[in-house]
Amino acid sequence: MTEHGHCKRLLPDCDTVLAMIRRSGACDAEEFLGGLDLRFRARYFRYFERLRDHHNIKSPENLRHLDKRDDVDVFELKADNYRLYMVRHQVTWYATHGRKKPANSRVNTEIQKAINIFWEWNGN
């Protein structure tokens, strides 16, 4: 991954699929991806390529739209029991953080966390 402002590119030479860098310098999405087994990491990178190439990931088994708040859409990108939270703003996808599949009662907390990480630099 290469840095690009307050974001890191998830794919080489791609400015439309990025990972957010927090004010602390941490990149939660990068840390999450780095901790996964190779097979799950490879699956996420195939998803990133589809997003980069503007191919829809139609199956809710793989990508689920969670909410629209603060002028952004929040999605959950799935690989087995792992979830990567993505914010789409205009044509760009931003990975904010990931975790093992949360209980349904925690999904709203994860949505808010994704939004907070996305807007952290913009003070929204």
Side-chain angles (χ1 to χ4, degrees):
M1 292 188 216
T2 58
E3 284 196 37
H4 182 71
H6 303 303
C7 303
K8 290 185 177 187
R9 290 181 174 140
L10 289 168
L11 298 170
D13 301 321
C14 174
D15 291 334
T16 58
V17 183
L18 307 168
M20 296 299 300
I21 300 171
R22 308 212 47 188
R23 284 189 181 274
S24 66
C27 181
D28 296 0
E30 181 180 47
E31 291 171 14
F32 168 73
L33 291 166
L36 294 175
D37 287 344
L38 181 59
R39 65 187 171 133
F40 297 120
R41 197 171 332 138
R43 189 178 309 171
Y44 278 116
F45 279 87
R46 283 192 302 274
Y47 292 151
F48 299 153
E49 290 169 348
R50 291 193 60 78
L51 295 173
R52 175 198 63 201
D53 298 338
H54 305 287
H55 295 298
N56 289 334
I57 301 173
K58 294 181 181 181
S59 172
E61 294 298 316
N62 301 332
L63 180 70
R64 180 170 73 143
H65 183 258
L66 298 174
D67 205 350
K68 182 175 180 78
R69 296 186 194 174
D70 300 330
D71 198 33
V72 298
D73 290 287
V74 180
F75 291 84
E76 182 179 64
L77 195 54
K78 305 175 185 182
D80 287 346
N81 286 325
Y82 297 103
R83 304 294 183 261
L84 180 65
Y85 294 89
M86 307 282 294
V87 171
R88 186 179 64 200
H89 185 256
Q90 299 173 352
V91 297
T92 305
W93 293 86
Y94 299 90
T96 59
H97 69 289
R99 60 167 293 147
K100 283 196 170 196
K101 180 182 176 182
N104 286 338
S105 62
R106 280 206 44 90
V107 172
N108 279 334
T109 302
E110 300 303 326
I111 292 168
Q112 192 58 53
K113 182 176 180 178
I115 290 169
N116 290 346
I117 292 171
F118 177 76
W119 289 115
E120 193 170 295
W121 288 97
N122 298 312
N124 193 11

